[in-house]
Amino acid sequence: PQEEQHAFTSSIRGLGLDTLRKGEAEIARLDELKNVMIGKLVREQRQTIEELWDKTNSSMAERESFNVYFNIQDDEQLTAGILVKHEDYVAMLKSKLEKMQPILDHIAKREAIIEERAELEFLQKDPDRLKGRHASKQLMREEQMNRRVKKELPRITSNLEKELWQWYEENKA
């Protein structure tokens, strides 16, 4: 906590043997605290790993490659080394997600246009849709949707295909 950090830093005067002893004592205290909390820290990393697996659409094979460390449930077996493995794996997954994010954004945009196409098809099946009071607004909305579906969907699909092939070429294992 902030109070402990402030108390430690305010107790240091200069760089003498007393300061070194206080520093060593603080390191020992923090190591002991880490050992007490290692289970909680590892579980937090595991939760982050599961979220990143979902965001990166990791395959079962990818997930199982980390099972050696992920399936240790006994807090007595959790060590600082296992925590470091989890932290390194989280960093690797975050890096992968960062590289994938533009492609994931394009996929989301394409999916939104596909949903819009389905909505447009549903709307066009209703013969009474243009008989109401706001028929001109409805027609204009449908024309805009139709334009997006006809122009943007093929362009986004083509770009996405190129990006996916490029990703595949760069990342095949």
Side-chain angles (χ1 to χ4, degrees):
Q2 291 286 355
E3 301 85 36
E4 291 176 357
Q5 289 178 359
H6 182 69
F8 174 72
T9 54
S10 64
S11 71
I12 295 176
R13 303 280 181 244
L15 192 58
L17 286 175
D18 184 48
T19 303
L20 290 175
R21 278 191 223 104
K22 286 180 182 178
E24 289 171 351
E26 181 67 7
I27 289 173
R29 185 187 72 79
L30 292 174
D31 279 342
E32 182 60 35
L33 183 62
K34 183 172 102 176
N35 288 336
V36 168
M37 295 186 62
I38 199 117
K40 180 181 180 232
L41 296 172
V42 168
R43 281 188 288 281
E44 287 174 0
Q45 291 297 313
R46 287 179 178 172
Q47 184 176 0
T48 303
I49 288 170
E50 287 178 335
E51 291 168 5
L52 290 169
W53 276 342
D54 291 340
K55 288 179 181 177
T56 59
N57 297 313
S58 294
S59 67
M60 286 308 295
E62 286 177 277
R63 293 174 187 223
E64 289 172 0
S65 70
F66 194 69
N67 274 353
V68 173
Y69 305 107
F70 200 80
N71 287 335
I72 299 172
Q73 300 300 326
D74 184 15
D75 280 4
E76 296 296 319
Q77 293 178 331
L78 297 176
T79 63
I82 290 175
L83 177 61
V84 168
K85 293 276 189 200
H86 280 71
E87 290 170 342
D88 291 346
Y89 193 66
V90 165
M92 186 272 301
L93 287 173
K94 283 182 178 179
S95 172
K96 181 180 178 181
L97 179 61
E98 190 176 306
K99 289 178 189 174
M100 290 176 71
Q101 197 59 55
I103 293 173
L104 296 174
D105 292 343
H106 286 130
I107 290 171
K109 189 172 185 178
R110 182 178 183 277
E111 292 298 318
I113 292 175
I114 288 173
E115 286 179 23
E116 195 171 344
R117 179 176 65 186
E119 180 184 350
L120 178 64
E121 289 170 358
F122 177 77
L123 288 172
Q124 288 176 339
K125 288 180 183 176
D126 181 13
D128 297 330
R129 73 186 188 281
L130 300 177
K131 292 182 183 176
R133 191 163 196 221
H134 302 288
S136 61
K137 288 182 181 180
Q138 178 65 24
L139 185 60
M140 192 162 61
R141 179 173 174 254
E142 286 181 23
E143 287 174 0
Q144 288 174 341
M145 290 169 77
N146 197 24
R147 228 177 293 128
R148 263 194 303 275
V149 167
K150 288 206 184 329
K151 287 185 177 181
E152 286 188 41
L153 185 59
R155 181 182 55 80
I156 289 174
T157 301
S158 174
N159 289 344
L160 187 57
E161 260 182 24
K162 291 174 189 171
E163 288 176 348
L164 287 171
W165 277 112
Q166 181 180 356
W167 169 264
Y168 175 76
E169 291 298 320
E170 291 173 359
N171 296 291
K172 55 180 158 178

